[in-house]
Amino acid sequence: VLVNSVKDYTLNQNYKLFISDSYNVELGWEYKTLNMMYSEEFAGTQTASKLDTPNISSAFIKNLWKPLSNLSFDIGMRLSKSSYYNDYILDPRIGLKYNIIPDLALKMMWGKFTQFMFTINQEEQLLRLVDFWQAVGQNKTPQSNEHYVIGAEYWISNGNTISIEGYYKPYTTVYDLSLVADPVDEDSYFSSGIGTAKGIELLYQFNTNRLNGWLGYSFSDITREVDLNQNGEVSDSEKYKSNYNKPHTLNFVLNYKLAPKKKWDFGLTGTLTSGAPYTPVIGKVFSQSVEQYGSLENPYLYLTNLYGDRNSAQYPMYFRTDISFTKGGKLFKNPAQWKFQIINLTNNFNVLFYNWNHYSSPSKVSAVSMFPLIFTFGVSLEL
C-alpha cells in the first residue's frame, strides 16, 4: 500500500498598476501551508513514512516597460522563503522583445527559478505512471535552475503565425528517489544531483474563415546526474534520462466549422511522440523480501525482476488521433454544447508498460496498452 496525500492551503493577492502607455507594474504575494504525507507498507510492515508541514511565503514584482514602439522589456524578481530552509531565495528574471520589422519579432529571456517541492517515481512498473509529490527536506537546498530562451515570431497574416524557440535550462539541484533508503533515516530517502534540459520548439498557427488550428514540433533532451546510492560519486549508470524525456514530439489541432449558422463544428487532433524512457528488466532473481518470502523449507519460492540502468531503454513510439463533433444550442433555455468524440480513432496500440512472467522458461514479456478505441458523448451546460 502506498499513500501520498497533499493538502495545500494558499492565500494570495495580485495587483496591476497602469502607470502609463509604456510602463506597467504587476506585484503580489502568496502564503502557502502544506500538509504532505507519504508512506509505504508491504505485507503489514511499514517500509517508509514521511510527514512534512512546510510553510512557504513569496512576493514578486514585474515591470513591463516599452521604451520604444518596437522594443519592450519584462523585468522582475521573486523573493521566497520556506520554513524548512533558513535563507531567503531571490529569483531575478528579464525578458526582451524586439520587432526587427513590424511582422517579425525577436524574443530573449533569462531567469532563475526555485522550487521547494519535487516529484518522484517508483521503479515498479505500475507506480511509475504516477508522480508522488515530496517536500524538499529541512535544511536541504531547494530545487533550482536557470532558463535561457531565445526565439522569433513571424506574423504571416491575420491569425497566421510561425514561431521558433530554443532553450537551455541547467539545474543546479534536483532530487530523486534513493536506492539505499533507510526507513529509520528520512534524510536517506532522496538523493540530490544536477541536470540539464535543452531543446527547440516550432509552432505554426493558422486561421481562415472556417478553418483554424496549429501544428507544432519539438525536440528535447532532459538528463540527470544523481548520486542514487549515496556513495559520494556519480557513476555512468547514475547519469540517466528524465522520466519526461521524449526527444521528438509532433502535435496538430484542426477545427472546422461545418455549418456556422447551425453551430456544427468538427475537430481533429493528433500526437506522434517518441516513447517514454523506462528502466529495463535484464534478468530475474530469487526474492527473500518481507512481502515475498516463501517458507523456511522453501525460501526461494518467488522470483522478481533484475533491473538494468535507470531509464536506459525506451518504449515504442506513441501515436494517437482523436476526432470530435460539437453542436451548439440550448438546454432548458440555457446555452449548451453537445459533443460526440472518438478517442484513439485508429485504435493504435500504445505501450503503457511491460509485464514479465518469470515462472515460464524462458521468461515471457507482454505489453499492456493505453487507451483503446473509445466513444464518448456528453453535454456541457452554462447556468
Side-chain angles (χ1 to χ4, degrees):
V1 178
L2 192 151
V3 178
N4 180 217
S5 66
V6 179
K7 295 181 180 179
D8 183 337
Y9 306 94
T10 301
L11 184 65
N12 60 57
Q13 195 170 26
N14 295 337
Y15 303 91
K16 290 186 177 181
L17 306 177
F18 300 95
I19 298 174
S20 69
D21 292 338
S22 61
Y23 182 59
N24 298 323
V25 177
E26 294 183 24
L27 64 158
W29 59 269
E30 179 181 89
Y31 183 80
K32 182 188 297 286
T33 296
L34 297 171
N35 191 315
M36 308 176 67
M37 190 269 288
Y38 179 84
S39 67
E40 297 178 13
E41 182 179 308
F42 293 101
T45 301
Q46 192 168 65
T47 58
S49 179
K50 193 170 185 289
L51 177 64
D52 289 297
T53 57
N55 299 318
I56 302 171
S57 55
S58 62
F60 77 91
I61 184 169
K62 181 191 292 187
N63 300 274
L64 305 174
W65 180 39
K66 192 173 183 179
L68 301 172
S69 61
N70 62 343
L71 179 65
S72 61
F73 292 92
D74 183 345
I75 305 171
M77 63 180 62
R78 187 177 191 91
L79 184 68
S80 56
K81 175 72 172 67
S82 170
S83 59
Y84 275 23
Y85 193 63
N86 293 329
D87 298 333
Y88 285 87
I89 305 294
L90 182 63
D91 292 332
R93 299 159 193 180
I94 181 170
L96 176 151
K97 185 175 182 179
Y98 176 64
N99 285 79
I100 302 173
I101 57 176
D103 295 332
L104 178 62
L106 177 67
K107 300 179 291 183
M108 291 183 287
M109 191 276 284
W110 170 85
K112 182 175 176 290
F113 296 81
T114 300
Q115 284 185 316
F116 296 101
M117 299 171 61
F118 64 98
T119 59
I120 61 170
N121 294 96
Q122 293 280 359
E123 284 301 304
E124 201 276 325
Q125 293 281 13
L126 283 174
L127 294 180
R128 279 177 62 88
L129 307 177
V130 183
D131 288 329
F132 299 103
W133 285 94
Q134 305 289 333
V136 175
Q138 296 196 36
N139 301 318
K140 299 290 185 180
T141 304
Q143 287 205 146
S144 178
N145 74 347
E146 292 184 68
H147 290 195
Y148 298 89
V149 183
I150 185 170
E153 186 173 13
Y154 179 63
W155 292 272
I156 302 170
S157 61
N158 185 28
N160 294 271
T161 61
I162 294 178
S163 64
I164 181 172
E165 186 173 277
Y167 61 87
Y168 175 69
K169 303 175 183 179
Y171 289 76
T172 55
T173 306
V174 296
Y175 288 92
D176 209 336
L177 191 64
S178 172
L179 297 179
V180 291
D182 182 352
V184 181
D185 182 11
E186 288 190 2
D187 289 339
S188 70
Y189 284 2
F190 311 111
S191 299
S192 63
I194 61 175
T196 59
K198 54 189 175 183
I200 187 170
E201 297 179 352
L202 300 170
L203 179 66
Y204 171 56
Q205 294 177 291
F206 55 90
N207 186 17
T208 63
N209 185 32
R210 298 173 64 175
L211 181 68
N212 67 81
W214 55 266
L215 173 67
Y217 167 78
S218 65
F219 169 78
S220 63
D221 182 52
I222 311 172
T223 59
R224 291 184 162 200
E225 298 182 17
V226 181
D227 183 13
L228 297 172
N229 58 16
Q230 299 186 9
N231 66 349
E233 299 178 357
V234 177
S235 63
D236 289 340
S237 63
E238 294 172 319
K239 300 176 183 178
Y240 57 95
K241 299 296 183 182
S242 164
N243 292 336
Y244 309 104
N245 186 72
K246 297 179 182 180
H248 302 281
T249 300
L250 180 67
N251 293 308
F252 72 85
V253 173
L254 179 69
N255 299 299
Y256 181 72
K257 296 184 180 298
L258 290 171
K261 293 183 179 180
K262 296 182 179 180
K263 299 182 179 179
W264 271 100
D265 295 322
F266 168 77
L268 175 66
T269 63
T271 301
L272 178 65
T273 71
S274 302
Y278 72 97
T279 303
V281 174
I282 60 175
K284 54 188 176 182
V285 65
F286 288 107
S287 173
Q288 295 190 54
S289 60
V290 173
E291 71 278 9
Q292 290 184 324
Y293 187 81
S295 64
L296 291 176
E297 295 78 14
N298 187 9
Y300 301 106
L301 183 61
Y302 294 102
L303 289 165
T304 188
N305 294 331
L306 181 64
Y307 290 100
D309 292 342
R310 179 169 296 198
N311 289 352
S312 58
Q314 197 170 17
Y315 288 120
M317 185 167 287
Y318 175 94
F319 174 72
R320 174 178 150 190
T321 302
D322 304 335
I323 64 171
S324 65
F325 295 92
T326 304
K327 173 69 170 67
K330 287 190 176 182
L331 182 63
F332 306 120
K333 298 182 179 180
N334 293 303
Q337 274 196 334
W338 303 86
K339 188 171 185 178
F340 172 74
Q341 186 177 26
I342 302 177
I343 299 174
N344 194 11
L345 178 66
T346 60
N347 197 25
N348 195 64
F349 190 98
N350 294 304
V351 177
L352 183 63
F353 62 87
Y354 293 123
N355 185 34
W356 285 85
N357 177 13
H358 293 308
Y359 294 97
S360 64
S361 184
S363 297
K364 294 182 179 180
V365 60
S366 59
V368 178
S369 73
M370 300 186 194
F371 300 112
L373 178 69
I374 300 176
F375 296 87
T376 67
F377 175 78
V379 59
S380 60
L381 180 65
E382 295 182 23
L383 300 177

